[in-house]
Amino acid sequence: MKHTFRTALAAAAVLLGGAAHAQKITADQATQFQKINQVMYLIANGYVDTVNMPKLVEGAIVNMLGQLDPHSTYLSAEELKTEEEEVEGNFEGIGIEFNVLRDTIVVVNTIPGGPSEQVGLMSGDRIVYVNGELKTKVKLNDVPKFLRGPKGTRADLRVVRPGVADTLEFSIVRDKIPMYSLDAAYKVDKNTGYVKLNRFMATTNDELQKALGEMKGISSLVLDLRGNGGGLLDQAFRVASNFLKPGSLVVYTEGLNMPRQEAKTSDEQPLYGDGKLVVLVDESSASASEIVAGAMQDWDRATIVGRRTFGKGLVQQQVPLNDGSAIRLTIAHYYTPSGRSIQRPYKQGDAMSYYRDFADRYNSGELTDGKAAAVDSSQVFKTLVKGRTVYGGGGITPDVYVPIDTTGYSEYWSGLVRKGVLLEFAVTELDAHRAEYKEKYKDFDAFASGFSLTPEQEARLVELGRSRGVELDQKGLERSRRLIAAQIKALIAQRLWDTTAYYRVINAETDPDFAAAVAEARK
C-alpha cells in the first residue's frame, strides 16, 4: 500500500515540475493517503451491493478538487479530447458553423476550404437526416456528436434548402477542420486597424500576424480582447512579441512548489512595435488576455480601455490519469512584469461566490458607473517606463473606463434573444430574399450604408416573437428598437459575408466600448 502511494506521488512530482522542487510528504499526509486507499478497498471488497467504482472515484476526485481554488478541475476522457481539439485549433468533421433553430440544425456558414464548402452546402440549409437517422428535435450540445468524426469517414446528409421543393442529398467525407481564434480584422479607417481575438490557441499568433500583415498603412490599432477567456500561455507571449521590444518580460509564474519562471518576448523585432495601440477589455477578459493587457500596461505600450478584467491569475498544470482523463491542478500564480498578481481573491471550496462576481460588480455599480471599482490600495505598483501607478489584487484595471451599456436592454429584447427569434427572423428573411440582397448589395459597404430594418420587417419580427411566446411590450420595443435593428442587420451580414461583417455592424452601430477605443486610438 505504501509503495503504491509513493510511486504515484513520485510520478505526480515529476509532472508538476520535477521531484527536486516537490514538497516533502509529511507523516500525516502519508496517513491520509493510506486512509483513502483503505476506504476504496473496503467498498470494493465489503460493500453489500454492486458499486459503480469509476463513478465513485470520479465523484471523490471532483469533491476533493472542489475544496481547492475555483480553477482546479477534473476532466473526463471525453471532455479532455474535446478541449484539446479546441486548443490545438482543429478537429475532424464536416466543417460548418451551425445553430439549432426550432429544434432543427441550420447551417450558419461553411468553413472556407472545408469539405462542406467543397460539396456545395450553403448558409441557411437545414440538416434533417445524418446517415439515415432523423435529426430533428435535437439539442445544440448534441450536434457535434454526429457531425464530427474521424478523418476519412463519411457523413451522408439530407438537407432542406429554402426555395427548393425537394430535399437535397450530400455525401461529405470528414476531414481536419481548422478552428480560428480571430473573429474579425478590418480597417476602421485608413489609419486605424481593428482585430478581435476570441481565445488563445495554437494558431492565434499566426492568425494575428496574417491580419496585421494585411492592414497596410495603419498607424493605430485596436486589439479587442473582450470576452476572451484565455488559453495557451505561449500564445499570450507570442502575441505580446508583436508589440513589445525583443526580450521584454511578459509574465512570470511562481508558487509554493514552483520556482519563478519567466516568459519573455522573442528576439525578433516586433511586427507592430511603433504604432499606437489600444487594448479593449471587459469583465470576461481572463487569463491569457489579462497577461497580454497587463504586459502592455506595465510597459506603457498601450492604453487599456473598457472595464476591469476577470481576475484569473492561477496557473494550472494538466496531469493525465491512467484512464485517459486528467486533472488540472493549480500550481502557481501569474504576475505581470511590474510584479502585480492578476488573481482576484477567493475562498477555497467556495466556487459559487467566486463566480458570482459579475453580479456583485453590477450590483455595486462598478460596471455601470465605475465608482465602486475594486482597487486594492495596499497593492500599489509602478509601470516600467513612465512610472504610472497601477494596482494588483484582481484583474487589470483599465486606463480609460467605459461603463457597460444597458440603454437598449429590455425584458422584451431579452425574450426575443432567449427564444432565438432574432436569429430565426434573420434566417427566414434570407431564405425569402437572398437573391434580392445579393443583387442589391454588391459588397459589405453597400449593405452597411443601404440596409435598415423597415417598419414592415419590424412588424413581421413582432409577430414571429408572439408566435414563439414573446408577447409585444411596446415600451420594451421602443427602448430596444435600435439594438434589435442592429442585431438583425449584423446577423444578415454574417450570413451574406462572414463573422467580420457581423462585428463591423455591431461595432459601428451599438458599441460604446468600441467607439471609446477608436477615439483613443485616433488621439
Side-chain angles (χ1 to χ4, degrees), residues 388-433:
R388 295 181 301 119
T389 298
V390 289
Y391 297 93
I396 303 299
T397 300
D399 303 306
V400 177
Y401 171 81
V402 184
I404 193 169
D405 181 28
T406 60
T407 55
Y409 292 9
S410 68
E411 281 299 316
Y412 181 65
W413 164 80
S414 179
L416 293 176
V417 173
R418 292 196 315 271
K419 293 284 187 176
V421 176
L422 299 184
L423 173 62
E424 184 175 0
F425 180 84
V427 171
T428 54
E429 179 69 13
L430 274 181
D431 287 349
H433 304 290

Side-chain angles (χ1 to χ4, degrees), residues 100 102-105 134-139 142:
V100 172
R102 311 306 302 173
D103 300 329
T104 301
I105 306 165
L134 184 64
K135 295 300 181 183
T136 56
K137 298 184 178 179
V138 297
K139 295 181 180 179
D142 292 333

Side-chain angles (χ1 to χ4, degrees), residues 225-283:
L225 300 180
R226 289 176 298 171
N228 185 319
L232 297 176
L233 173 61
D234 78 299
Q235 290 296 308
F237 64 79
R238 288 177 190 274
V239 165
S241 292
N242 294 293
F243 308 112
L244 296 175
K245 293 178 180 179
S248 298
L249 179 64
V250 176
V251 66
Y252 67 90
T253 62
E254 197 167 17
L256 179 64
N257 299 304
M258 293 292 293
R260 174 167 168 153
Q261 297 181 348
E262 297 183 345
K264 297 182 178 181
T265 57
S266 68
D267 293 331
E268 298 179 4
Q269 289 300 316
L271 191 61
Y272 184 80
D274 298 321
K276 188 159 188 178
L277 179 64
V278 174
V279 179
L280 194 50
V281 297
D282 67 6
E283 54 284 342

